[in-house]
Amino acid sequence: MSKVISLTPANFDQDHVPLIVHDVPQIPDRSTAIEAGKDDPFLPMLSGIRLLDAAGVDFIAIPCNTAHYWYERLQKGCRAEILHIADAVVQHLIDTQGRVGSIAVMATRGTIAAGIYSERLLKATDRVIIPDEDTQRLIDRAIASVKAGKLTVARSQAVEAADKLTAIGADCLLLACTELPVVLGDFAGGPVIADATEALARACVKASIGTAPLAMVG
């Protein structure tokens, strides 16, 4: 939400994007469900989508990357347009970087297993790098540490994973989990940092007011 506000080119209160927020932390874990072949998160998410749809929104943004595993089914269940986070990332990369040599996906195991980004990223890169097991374990731990409020530990784990991906040739690190930008948003190890939630926030602003923000404010 803060990214949407920061990215909106506003001079007055009335220039900002109107928002209706449905925030329910009790929805079952999406990554665990995908790995286990379960569908538990779908109905609670569909309930939230329909609540927002009934409120009259025109666009819906789902910041959880892994939740986009259910994107097509959720979209069929509502009138409003659901903005796809991977499409937002690809568009932002094309707008700002052109075509990137290689992109490493830093995400939950569920996001990786679901292939949410794999095909879409080929529109903006020649090579998609999926972390090996050792690197993925570091990413898993970093995400869990952020959730637990252990930011110093999380940053150490995330930076180690980022360094490993940089070492094998990643030109861009895609932070495809909401927790990772908290500790890697200012990573200065060399590759381009692509924050999926920032890209989605940009898509929200463009969808609402028809103008793509040029740069983060503040």
Side-chain angles (χ1 to χ4, degrees), residues 191-215:
V192 171
I193 297 296
D195 176 352
T197 51
E198 181 181 327
L200 183 60
R202 290 177 180 278
C204 289
V205 174
K206 185 175 181 180
S208 179
I209 66 176
T211 301
L214 299 178

Side-chain angles (χ1 to χ4, degrees), residues 12-53:
F12 306 99
D13 292 346
Q14 292 76 15
D15 294 335
H16 280 281
V17 175
L19 299 172
I20 297 177
V21 179
H22 179 68
D23 183 7
V24 181
Q26 288 71 33
I27 292 175
D29 185 83
R30 279 70 64 198
S31 185
T32 302
I34 292 171
E35 289 186 89
K38 295 183 177 180
D39 204 36
D40 296 357
F42 175 67
L43 287 179
M45 287 194 295
L46 181 61
S47 175
I49 291 290
R50 287 178 170 169
L51 185 151
L52 294 170
D53 204 32

Side-chain angles (χ1 to χ4, degrees), residues 71-147:
Y71 173 85
E72 285 79 11
R73 291 167 65 196
L74 292 172
Q75 181 62 84
K76 288 178 182 178
C78 74
R79 166 201 54 81
E81 178 184 347
I82 302 176
L83 303 174
H84 198 296
I85 197 168
D87 289 338
V89 166
V90 169
Q91 189 60 56
H92 181 57
L93 285 171
I94 292 172
D95 289 345
T96 59
Q97 305 296 325
R99 193 165 184 83
V100 181
S102 59
I103 299 176
V105 181
M106 300 182 70
T108 66
R109 290 177 184 267
T111 294
I112 298 294
I116 291 166
Y117 281 96
S118 53
E119 289 188 12
R120 282 178 165 86
L121 283 179
L122 293 176
K123 298 176 184 178
T125 185
D126 299 317
R127 178 188 177 209
V128 178
I129 299 173
I130 301 301
D132 61 21
E133 181 58 28
D134 287 344
T135 307
Q136 185 62 49
R137 275 199 293 266
L138 285 168
I139 295 170
D140 295 343
R141 291 169 187 162
I143 292 169
S145 294
V146 172
K147 290 179 184 291

